[in-house]
């Protein structure tokens, strides 16, 4: 039998009650077809052995009140039923709406960047999706509405808070609400843009494509750094429109539990944070021409002082204007500077 999903080789995821649309809204969303590039959202889904939770995420796509979307899946050699689930989904929503690519097989960040930089994916907006979360019905509609308020041609990224849920989709808390404004000075040493909430406008996607397949630790952190660095807009929404599932197979996790905070401290002490920062700074240096003059100065100053003498590191952080979002985070930053771990 011929496949029912398009397969191709790759070319280059404020507390409130969960809203569940009625059956009629679900049927309308399921039967709706794409209407062209205008206001179309390309959902970029990176998968690897995601059979356990993937069905619920796919079902949440069908419930979206913003119905003009297409799905691009990059699968990193799944050996479970992931591709079969995507094939079933394509039969339900229409084969023309779903394309499956073979991923690069080099981890989550590379998988998402391969989708982002794929010139065959044409849309007005681009939404990252993890394989194990659940989107609220208004997730895409909110992001599109806020991104449309940004002047045309200006790179912009939407991101939001998340509702934490357990393996059975029971609510267990909220991700930290970030109180300070997004900026490059924050992005250099902290990521506030959770990848599973990110939606990019076309100008932001074009910017990432110009930067290309860089060597980075986290694709969402890279988006935050590059978009703020070039003077683009980051829209942070305190409304949690993604149900962020916590389970043992999480590649990152929410980072706001006691265990996760201990893990962050260990990441600092064993130099994983520092090594990740090395890779991101090197990648930013390669595309330094894309950054604003002011942000190039911050990058150069930070790169020069972060491995220098103690007082140079501490004064350099202050003079660069670097900050994290919370008091505890800034204490973490100072301790990292003292220990020469940033």
């Amino acid at each position: 039998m011929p496949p029912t999903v398009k397969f191709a080789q790759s070319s280059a995821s404020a507390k409130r009650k969960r809203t569940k649309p009625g059956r009629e809204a679900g049927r309308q969303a399921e039967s709706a077809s794409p209407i062209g590039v205008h206001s179309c959202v390309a959902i970029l889904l990176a998968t690897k052995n995601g059979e356990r939770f993937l069905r619920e995420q796919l079902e949440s796509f069908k419930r979206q009140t913003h119905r003009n979307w297409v799905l691009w899946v990059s699968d990193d050699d799944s050996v479970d039923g992931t591709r079969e689930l995507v094939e079933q989904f394509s039969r339900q929503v229409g084969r023309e709406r779903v394309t499956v690519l073979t991923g690069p097989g080099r981890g989550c960040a590379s998988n998402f960047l391969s989708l982002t930089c794929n010139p065959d994916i044409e849309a007005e907006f681009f939404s990252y999706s993890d394989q194990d979360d659940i989107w609220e019905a208004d997730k895409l509609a909110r992001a599109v509405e806020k991104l449309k308020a940004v002047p045309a041609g200006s790179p912009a990224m939407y991101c939001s808070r998340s509702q934490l849920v357990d393996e059975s989709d029971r609510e267990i808390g909220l991700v930290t609400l970030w109180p300070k404004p997004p900026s490059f000075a924050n992005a250099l040493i902290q990521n506030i843009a959770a990848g599973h909430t990110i939606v990019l406008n076309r100008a932001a996607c074009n910017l990432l494509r110009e930067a290309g397949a860089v060597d980075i630790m986290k694709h969402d952190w890279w988006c935050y750094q590059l978009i703020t660095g070039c003077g683009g807009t980051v829209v942070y929404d305190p409304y949690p429109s993604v149900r962020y599932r916590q389970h043992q197979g999480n590649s990152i996790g929410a980072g706001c539990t006691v265990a996760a905070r201990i893990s962050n401290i260990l990441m600092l002490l064993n130099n994983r944070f520092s090594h990740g920062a090395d890779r991101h700074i090197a990648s930013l240096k390669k595309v330094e021409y894309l950054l604003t003059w002011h942000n190039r100065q911050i990058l150069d100053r930070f790169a020069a002082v972060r491995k220098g003498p103690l007082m140079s590191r501490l004064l350099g952080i202050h003079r660069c204007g670097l900050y994290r979002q919370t008091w505890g985070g800034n204490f973490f930053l100072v301790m990292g500077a003292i220990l020469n771990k940033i």
Side-chain angles (χ1 to χ4, degrees):
M1 290 181 64
T4 57
V5 183
K6 292 183 289 179
F7 285 88
Q9 294 298 320
S10 177
S11 56
S13 157
K15 183 175 175 68
R16 48 117 178 98
K17 293 183 179 180
R18 182 182 181 188
T19 57
K20 296 183 179 180
R23 293 183 179 178
E24 184 60 32
R27 282 195 295 270
Q28 289 175 355
E30 182 174 342
S31 62
S33 296
I35 55 175
V37 174
H38 180 65
S39 292
C40 179
V41 179
I43 300 173
L44 309 181
L45 172 62
T47 60
K48 180 170 184 175
N49 297 328
E51 177 184 19
R52 183 180 178 193
F53 300 116
L54 180 59
R55 188 186 303 276
E56 288 183 90
Q57 177 69 309
L58 294 174
E59 289 296 318
S60 74
F61 297 162
K62 291 195 294 184
R63 293 194 295 268
Q64 291 303 298
T65 57
H66 181 89
R67 302 185 192 114
N68 188 13
W69 54 263
V70 291
L71 175 62
W72 288 74
V73 182
S74 180
D75 184 68
D76 265 350
D77 300 319
S78 291
V79 295
D80 62 357
T82 293
R83 288 206 174 196
E84 288 77 7
L85 283 176
V86 175
E87 182 175 336
Q88 293 171 17
F89 181 72
S90 75
R91 291 198 297 266
Q92 296 168 10
V93 301
R95 299 177 187 179
E96 72 283 355
R97 300 187 78 169
V98 181
T99 303
V100 178
L101 306 172
T102 299
R106 296 192 301 271
C108 177
S110 292
N111 202 358
F112 275 112
L113 274 189
S114 72
L115 283 166
T116 309
C117 295
N118 188 333
D120 295 333
I121 304 178
E122 286 292 332
E124 188 172 351
F125 304 99
F126 303 80
S127 180
Y128 290 141
S129 172
D130 289 348
Q131 63 188 3
D132 49 4
D133 299 326
I134 303 171
W135 287 2
E136 302 289 11
D138 55 356
K139 188 258 192 286
L140 291 181
R142 288 184 65 85
V144 168
E145 178 185 16
K146 292 182 182 296
L147 288 174
K148 281 188 171 182
V150 178
S154 177
M157 176 180 77
Y158 169 93
C159 58
S160 76
R161 202 178 189 187
S162 304
Q163 171 70 62
L164 298 175
V165 298
D166 65 13
E167 295 187 3
S168 301
D169 192 27
R170 292 186 295 259
E171 295 182 359
I172 56 176
L174 286 163
V175 169
T176 302
L177 180 64
W178 304 124
K180 299 178 182 177
S183 75
F184 187 63
N186 178 227
L188 274 178
I189 42 82
Q190 182 181 23
N191 178 38
I192 67 167
H196 59 276
T197 72
I198 286 177
V199 182
L200 307 166
N201 69 2
R202 194 183 320 200
C205 186
N206 288 341
L207 181 70
L208 288 157
R209 288 177 178 179
E210 184 170 355
V214 290
D215 176 29
I216 53 169
M217 182 171 68
K218 298 180 181 179
H219 67 287
D220 46 9
W221 193 14
W222 174 244
C223 289
Y224 184 33
Q225 290 177 334
L226 187 61
I227 291 168
T228 55
C230 78
T233 300
V234 173
V235 179
Y236 175 71
D237 189 354
Y239 173 93
S241 56
V242 173
R243 301 177 72 80
Y244 184 16
R245 197 190 304 266
Q246 302 297 289
H247 59 89
Q248 290 184 344
N250 279 115
S251 62
I252 299 295
C256 55
T257 64
V258 172
R261 287 177 176 138
I262 293 173
S263 177
N264 287 339
I265 292 171
L266 292 175
M267 185 172 72
L268 178 74
L269 295 176
N270 65 19
N271 292 317
R272 282 185 58 209
F273 180 87
S274 178
H275 291 161
D278 287 341
R279 292 164 64 185
H280 281 248
I281 289 171
S283 295
L284 285 167
K285 285 284 192 178
K286 290 179 180 178
V287 293
E288 202 169 23
Y289 66 95
L290 294 172
L291 307 183
T292 67
W293 179 87
H294 177 68
N295 288 331
R296 285 199 302 271
Q297 299 301 305
I298 294 176
L299 176 64
D300 290 344
R301 201 172 296 138
F302 178 54
V305 304
R306 60 190 290 259
K307 298 302 181 183
L310 174 59
M311 289 309 298
S312 174
R313 296 195 300 270
L314 292 174
L315 289 173
I317 288 173
H318 175 71
R319 289 170 180 168
C320 291
L322 303 182
Y323 65 92
R324 290 174 68 93
Q325 290 285 323
T326 64
W327 180 90
N330 283 307
F331 177 77
F332 178 89
L333 175 61
V334 172
M335 290 304 299
I338 292 173
L339 297 171
N340 197 17
K341 299 292 187 178
I342 62 169

